[in-house]
Amino acid sequence: MNTTVTHPRSIERLITGQPTSDGAGVKLTRVLTQDLQRRLDPFLMLDAFGSDSADDYIAGFPDHPHRGFETVTYMLAGRMRHRDSAGNEGLLQGGGVQWMTAGRGVIHSELPEQSEGRMEGFQLWLNLPAKDKMNPPWYRDIQSDDLPLWQGAGVVARVIAGATHGVQGAVQRDGTEPLYLDLHLDAGKTFEQPLPESHNAFVYVYRGAVSGVALQRMAIFGNAGDGVRLTAGADGARAILIAGKPLKEPIVQYGPFVMNTQQEIFKAVEDFRAGKLVQAT
Ligand code: CO
């Protein structure tokens, strides 16, 4: 298997996230905003949250619906309780991942199980192919200890989705082939990830810095080249590297619903209002 990169992709654009709030008033930074959905197809959104102040997260995300895509929540610190209309319940905590496929419809809540201390993590929205948008919901909690790891010289990759250097991640998806890595790099160390040119890719740095990308910045990579090469700065770095195969289908989003046509959005809103979002069609 080829694990080296000879022509690394260059950085096309650096992004500073937008401070916002969501749910019942949780403060977060929207890193992948709606205007980047086409460029970063199949990814629809990336939120980063991180605070030591309970006021910023305590309200959580009470019951709300989703249809047409997948949400991937990666918790670095803190504890969140998830409950949904499909009968799933789980405690998401430090280092763990929750992968939820909303499919034709889920109503869920995500509420903090702590009243003090640090809460930090990410929520990524991954689109579903048109043919899968009305599939039944699916859900999986992956505890921190169960997350596959790859270790190189001064590099640890926690493999949430896809595969790196022969290590298969916790989740695989055929349609979008997502790669989701949490990379921990010692000072000056380099990580390489081969990628097909057709796949869109970006990195977000949450500790230290990597070559060309400062702390709390997202870099969108150009598609030319045989992969991504990241070298940590003098203080080391932690960053999430995300890539996937674009669906090249129309994207119509209305809040928590992401479909292909306006008509399907009307139907989602209508189903939700009628209490039919979560029923078999
Ligand atoms: Co949600």
Side-chain angles (χ1 to χ4, degrees), residues 90-281:
L91 183 64
L92 184 59
Q93 52 192 333
V97 175
Q98 181 211 77
W99 197 293
M100 188 189 78
T101 306
R104 68 186 170 223
V106 152
I107 294 173
H108 74 156
S109 61
E110 299 148 297
L111 297 169
E113 279 217 338
Q114 63 189 46
S115 52
E116 56 180 20
R118 186 156 184 80
M119 178 81 77
E120 183 180 14
F122 303 99
Q123 189 170 83
L124 177 73
W125 286 12
L126 169 62
N127 210 353
L128 283 169
K131 67 175 179 55
D132 296 336
K133 281 183 178 289
M134 295 298 277
N135 282 357
W138 183 89
Y139 167 94
R140 192 175 157 199
D141 274 324
I142 304 127
Q143 300 302 321
S144 185
D145 289 347
D146 298 328
L147 211 55
L149 291 181
W150 174 77
Q151 301 202 36
V155 180
V156 175
R158 311 190 78 221
V159 194
I160 297 167
T164 190
H165 298 261
V167 175
Q168 294 287 311
V171 174
Q172 308 296 330
R173 284 288 177 267
D174 288 342
T176 49
E177 299 178 31
L179 172 77
Y180 190 164
L181 304 177
D182 177 19
L183 300 169
H184 298 192
L185 282 74
D186 290 346
K189 295 299 179 185
T190 295
F191 174 79
E192 293 187 341
Q193 176 67 45
L195 284 174
E197 286 198 347
S198 57
H199 290 205
N200 293 325
F202 60 97
V203 69
Y204 177 81
V205 177
Y206 69 92
R207 296 282 188 283
V210 299
S211 35
V213 193
L215 180 65
Q216 292 173 349
R217 293 293 180 277
M218 172 169 83
I220 298 175
F221 293 103
N223 289 63
D226 58 356
V228 167
R229 180 183 293 159
L230 300 168
T231 300
D235 298 324
R238 292 189 181 192
I240 52 173
L241 174 64
I242 295 169
K245 182 181 175 186
L247 292 168
K248 298 181 177 167
E249 294 172 346
I251 301 166
V252 184
Q253 178 176 2
Y254 178 71
F257 309 125
V258 184
M259 304 300 290
N260 302 110
T261 68
Q262 197 61 52
Q263 203 52 44
E264 290 166 342
I265 291 292
F266 291 144
K267 180 79 168 83
V269 173
E270 192 181 282
D271 284 354
F272 177 54
R273 286 186 181 148
K276 293 192 297 182
L277 185 88
V278 302
Q279 292 172 5
T281 43

Side-chain angles (χ1 to χ4, degrees), residues 4-173:
T4 59
V5 171
T6 53
H7 300 287
R9 293 181 177 212
S10 55
I11 293 171
E12 177 181 294
R13 193 174 158 190
L14 290 167
I15 306 282
T16 303
Q18 322 251 335
T20 184
S21 74
D22 210 336
V26 177
K27 285 193 184 148
L28 49 83
T29 302
R30 189 141 296 161
V31 182
L32 196 174
T33 46
Q34 215 167 337
D35 56 311
L36 295 172
Q37 287 176 341
R38 181 51 56 192
R39 176 64 189 88
L40 292 176
D41 182 8
F43 302 101
L44 301 165
M45 194 187 83
L46 176 68
D47 283 345
F49 50 95
S51 179
D52 298 310
S53 166
D55 288 347
D56 291 343
Y57 59 72
I58 202 71
F61 301 86
D63 273 348
H64 60 278
H66 292 291
R67 174 179 279 180
F69 60 101
E70 309 190 74
T71 67
V72 185
T73 309
Y74 179 38
M75 206 74 171
L76 296 171
R79 284 175 296 139
M80 265 301 194
R81 172 75 57 180
H82 168 271
R83 284 191 183 89
D84 73 32
S85 53
N88 299 302
E89 177 172 344
L91 183 64
L92 184 59
Q93 52 192 333
V97 175
Q98 181 211 77
W99 197 293
M100 188 189 78
T101 306
R104 68 186 170 223
V106 152
I107 294 173
H108 74 156
S109 61
E110 299 148 297
L111 297 169
E113 279 217 338
Q114 63 189 46
S115 52
E116 56 180 20
R118 186 156 184 80
M119 178 81 77
E120 183 180 14
F122 303 99
Q123 189 170 83
L124 177 73
W125 286 12
L126 169 62
N127 210 353
L128 283 169
K131 67 175 179 55
D132 296 336
K133 281 183 178 289
M134 295 298 277
N135 282 357
W138 183 89
Y139 167 94
R140 192 175 157 199
D141 274 324
I142 304 127
Q143 300 302 321
S144 185
D145 289 347
D146 298 328
L147 211 55
L149 291 181
W150 174 77
Q151 301 202 36
V155 180
V156 175
R158 311 190 78 221
V159 194
I160 297 167
T164 190
H165 298 261
V167 175
Q168 294 287 311
V171 174
Q172 308 296 330
R173 284 288 177 267

